[in-house]
């Protein structure tokens, strides 16, 4: 069979210069049984080849790309080609996805994709593939030959483990993986890093230090490779000077940490009571002292937020000299406890916002308790723009972490420049029309 694997774009006209490799396509290619010809298409870089003959189409969709994924599926189905949908959105909304495809895969590809291909070749695709045991599969090593000739950021995306033991109300990870974390062997990660000649790496784990001993093992193993890497992890990294030092020596350049809110009532409401805003500054100082840059993320629209929360958070992010920060309005992803709660409380602006034709990126999706939906959207926009203004970038620059090496400085300036451009493009963007 000829199999076409597709990663849909998010929105028409959204041309970020900072595209990352869609790891999922390389994993699907790696685990496709022998004897089939695979073509990977990243719609962010190339047109969908509707007129090219193919026997099976597999599309990966998250909630933001679901509407576009359904439109592509429709295009192929009209041409008589069977379509399989998988990824976060079809996993969390299988009924909806089944209306747009011959077949829907729930959960990780590793457990089901070889069977899907065998069934498709025999002309007996099932409507739904759902793994017998829940929880994350061990990630397979990707086949990066599918990225050849395509222009991605000079950054390797590598996955050590999947899942996070935390239970944050708004996050899709727990709904998708449950509370467990599954790691590949450290040897296979090192082998992959060597094979793809990695210099700069983004470990796409949901919480790289979810298991401290696995984290330590990985750091020790990659120490001789001379990498520069970044990843998401929780703030507890700041409390362990040995681990911080080991991370730095192994090449950790930046960490992405969800601070979410400066309001402890909000942190409690979102299930992050293990974090306290009063401890943020001291813990951030520990990370900066280790020479590691911090990418902080914040979310607005929880019940303790009032219109003043944007200025307070912006001041904090500027004074703490974050490398980058996100200021996002609460996004209720289907399948999360947050979505269910807000639906019960009748506080969703749209029931299925991801399918709304007129919905824009800058629009709020929830009705917050302490302000209007417009104030929520505008407050986030205001904080983002101030943070990424030239004055904001200059104010955050003088930090030991940013000035610690010429490479850190170059990454600081380049990333802020790209984010500044993306913010301007996105805020004027309409969601993709099918
Ligand atoms: C790296 C990453 C990014 C990168 C982009 C990656 C890229 N290639 O371009 C960056 C940092 C830019 C990013 C941004 C965003 N991201 Co992001 N990101 C991730 C992260 C951490 C890793 C992605 C990855 O490579 N995973 C590894 C691959 C192998 O996993 P996978 O894609 O899930 O595929 C597996 C299964 O899902 C399944 N599968 C997937 N597709 C298919 C298809 C078929 C046919 C089959 C059989 C199986 C299958 O099999 C695969 C292998 O087992 C994920 C978290 C995660 N655990 O995946 C979040 C995640 C995908 N992001 C998420 C979000 C919300 C965003 C943002 C919208 C955040 C924001 N508020 O701005 C933005 C939007 C980006 C934009 N375009 O504007 C959410 C999506 C939730 C949802 N319900 O859709 C996730 C899950 C994080 C979370 N905590 O919830 N992201």
């Amino acid at each position: 069979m000829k199999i076409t694997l597709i990663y849909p774009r998010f929105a028409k006209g959204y041309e970020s210069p900072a595209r990352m490799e869609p790891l999922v396509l390389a994993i699907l290619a790696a685990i496709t049984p022998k004897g089939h010809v695979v073509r990977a298409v990243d719609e962010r870089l190339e047109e969908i080849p509707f007129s090219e003959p193919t026997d099976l189409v597999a599309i990966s969709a998250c909630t933001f790309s679901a509407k576009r994924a359904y439109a592509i599926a429709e295009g192929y189905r009209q041409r008589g080609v069977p379509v399989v949908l998988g990824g976060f959105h079809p996993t969390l909304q299988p009924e909806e996805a089944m209306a747009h495809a011959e077949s829907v895969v729930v959960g990780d590809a590793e457990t089901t994709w070889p069977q899907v291909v065998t069934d498709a070749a025999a002309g007996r695709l099932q409507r739904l593939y759902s793994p017998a045991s829940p929880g994350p599969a061990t990630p397979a090593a990707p086949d990066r030959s599918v990225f050849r000739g395509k222009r991605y950021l000079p950054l390797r995306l590598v996955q050590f483990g999947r899942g996070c033991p935390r239970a944050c109300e708004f996050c899709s990870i727990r709904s998708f993986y449950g509370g467990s974390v599954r790691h590949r062997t450290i040897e296979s990660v090192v082998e992959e890093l060597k094979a793809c000649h990695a210099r700069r790496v983004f470990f796409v784990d949901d919480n790289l230090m979810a298991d401290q001993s696995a984290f330590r093992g990985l750091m020790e193993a990659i120490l001789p490779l001379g990498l520069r890497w970044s990843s998401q992890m929780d703030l507890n990294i700041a409390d362990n000077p040995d681990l911080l030092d080991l991370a730095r020596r192994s090449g950790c350049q930046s960490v992405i940490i969800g601070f979410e809110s400066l309001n402890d009532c909000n942190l409690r409401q979102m299930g992050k009571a293990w974090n306290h805003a009063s401890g943020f500054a001291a813990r951030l100082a520990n990370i900066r002292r280790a020479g590691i840059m911090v990418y902080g993320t914040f979310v607005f629209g929880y019940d303790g937020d009032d219109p003043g929360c944007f200025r307070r958070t912006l001041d904090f992010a500027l004074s703490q000299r974050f490398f980058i920060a996100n200021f996002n309005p609460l996004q209720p992803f289907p399948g999360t406890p947050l979505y269910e709660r807000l639906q019960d409380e009748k506080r969703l602006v749209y029931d299925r916002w991801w399918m709304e034709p007129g919905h824009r990126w800058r629009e709020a999706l929830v009705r917050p308790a302490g302000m209007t939906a417009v104030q929520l959207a505008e407050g986030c926009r205001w904080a983002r723009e101030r943070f990424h203004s030239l004055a904001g970038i200059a104010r955050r620059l003088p930090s030991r972490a940013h000035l610690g090496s010429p490479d850190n400085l170059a990454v600081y300036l380049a990333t802020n420049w790209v984010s500044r451009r993306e913010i301007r493009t996105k805020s004027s963007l309409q969601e993709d029309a099918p």
Side-chain angles (χ1 to χ4, degrees):
M1 278 196 307
K2 181 155 187 234
I3 305 172
T4 308
L5 309 174
I6 299 178
Y7 191 78
R9 65 171 179 241
F10 276 45
K12 209 173 259 168
Y14 173 47
E15 291 302 329
S16 163
R19 288 182 207 93
M20 293 182 193
E21 302 167 341
L23 196 54
V24 54
L25 300 191
I27 289 185
L28 287 168
I31 62 173
T32 298
K34 298 264 170 299
H36 302 282
V37 179
V38 170
R39 171 166 182 201
V41 178
D42 181 344
E43 201 195 3
R44 299 170 304 170
L45 305 174
E46 56 206 305
E47 294 292 315
I48 302 292
F50 283 116
S51 54
E52 196 178 284
T54 186
D55 303 301
L56 180 68
V57 166
I59 310 176
S60 178
C62 68
T63 302
F64 270 104
S65 62
K67 188 158 40 119
R68 179 65 194 149
Y70 297 156
I72 298 170
E74 191 50 39
Y76 278 105
R77 296 177 85 196
Q78 279 170 4
R79 291 168 170 83
V81 181
V83 175
V84 183
L85 283 167
F88 266 81
H89 193 76
T91 295
L92 299 173
Q93 293 285 287
E95 296 290 324
E96 177 191 286
M98 275 161 73
H100 300 274
E102 274 58 46
S103 187
V104 168
V105 172
V106 165
D108 302 287
E110 283 84 347
T111 37
T112 37
W113 177 243
Q115 187 62 47
V116 174
V117 174
T118 307
D119 287 355
R124 50 174 159 77
L125 263 182
Q126 296 168 34
R127 293 287 289 134
L128 185 70
Y129 291 84
S130 200
S133 60
T138 307
D143 171 1
R144 291 173 191 277
S145 66
V146 298
F147 300 144
R148 218 170 277 147
K150 298 185 182 175
R151 285 176 61 128
Y152 291 110
L153 272 182
L155 177 73
R156 294 294 189 202
L157 268 61
V158 176
Q159 194 168 42
F160 176 40
R162 288 183 186 153
C164 176
R166 306 291 190 188
C168 306
E169 186 194 34
F170 54 80
C171 183
S172 302
I173 296 300
R174 201 180 178 88
S175 315
F176 189 96
Y177 294 119
S180 63
V181 184
R182 185 92 44 96
H183 289 107
R184 293 162 69 183
T185 63
I186 291 174
E187 296 72 41
S188 74
V189 175
V190 171
E191 212 172 283
E192 182 185 337
L193 291 166
K194 285 182 179 164
C196 69
H197 309 291
R199 312 282 353 133
R200 293 181 193 277
V201 175
F202 180 21
F203 288 109
V204 298
D205 294 42
D206 304 302
N207 181 350
L208 192 66
M209 60 163 297
D211 172 339
Q212 286 205 12
S213 87
F215 179 58
R216 191 179 284 280
L218 179 71
M219 297 303 94
E220 282 164 357
I222 64 173
L223 211 60
L225 302 183
L227 304 176
R228 288 200 170 91
W229 64 266
S230 60
S231 191
Q232 304 183 95
M233 55 187 83
D234 66 52
L235 188 51
N236 290 351
I237 181 80
D239 304 332
N240 191 328
D242 283 356
L243 218 51
L244 261 182
D245 182 55
L246 178 61
R248 182 191 54 79
R249 285 187 292 117
S250 72
C252 179
Q253 189 165 34
S254 63
V255 288
I256 304 168
I257 296 177
F259 292 86
E260 323 304 358
S261 178
L262 300 181
N263 178 320
D264 278 351
C265 295
N266 285 348
L267 291 171
R268 270 197 301 279
Q269 193 180 21
M270 65 180 78
K272 279 192 105 154
W274 45 276
N275 254 355
H276 298 284
S278 55
F280 286 170
R283 296 166 98 191
L284 275 162
N286 291 347
I287 304 178
R288 278 199 305 268
R289 219 171 292 124
I292 296 173
M293 306 195 283
V294 181
Y295 178 152
T297 67
F298 296 92
V299 64
F300 299 91
Y302 264 94
D303 291 358
D305 281 337
D306 59 28
C309 68
F310 304 104
R311 178 172 290 281
R312 289 191 294 275
T313 311
L314 175 71
D315 287 348
F316 177 77
L318 289 172
S319 67
Q320 289 300 319
R321 299 185 180 165
F322 280 109
F323 155 45
I324 290 284
N326 280 350
F327 303 90
N328 284 325
L330 203 47
Q331 288 165 333
F333 286 102
T336 59
L338 172 75
Y339 185 91
E340 278 155 29
R341 177 169 68 80
L342 293 178
Q343 194 174 40
D344 285 349
E345 293 172 3
K346 304 204 179 337
R347 289 169 60 191
L348 294 174
V349 175
Y350 308 103
D351 239 11
R352 293 195 304 150
W353 54 266
W354 56 93
M355 296 302 286
E356 279 297 318
H359 157 64
R360 286 165 193 273
W361 287 89
R362 58 171 177 258
E363 212 179 332
L365 302 170
V366 306
R367 294 189 189 89
M371 64 185 106
T372 65
V374 172
Q375 281 174 312
L376 173 59
E378 278 305 298
C380 291
R381 187 192 54 77
W382 177 84
R384 266 183 216 132
E385 285 177 3
R386 289 291 173 101
F387 184 83
H388 290 93
S389 66
L390 295 180
I393 296 174
R395 180 165 166 204
R396 290 180 283 114
L397 177 63
S399 147
R400 179 172 166 178
H402 307 151
L403 300 174
S405 73
D407 194 76
N408 279 19
L409 175 60
V411 168
Y412 176 86
L413 293 173
T415 312
N416 273 283
W417 186 252
V418 169
S419 298
R420 189 178 146 82
R421 258 185 61 173
E422 277 186 20
I423 283 160
R424 288 174 166 186
T425 322
K426 267 191 189 172
S427 57
S428 61
L429 205 66
Q430 175 104 26
E431 274 256 354
D432 208 9

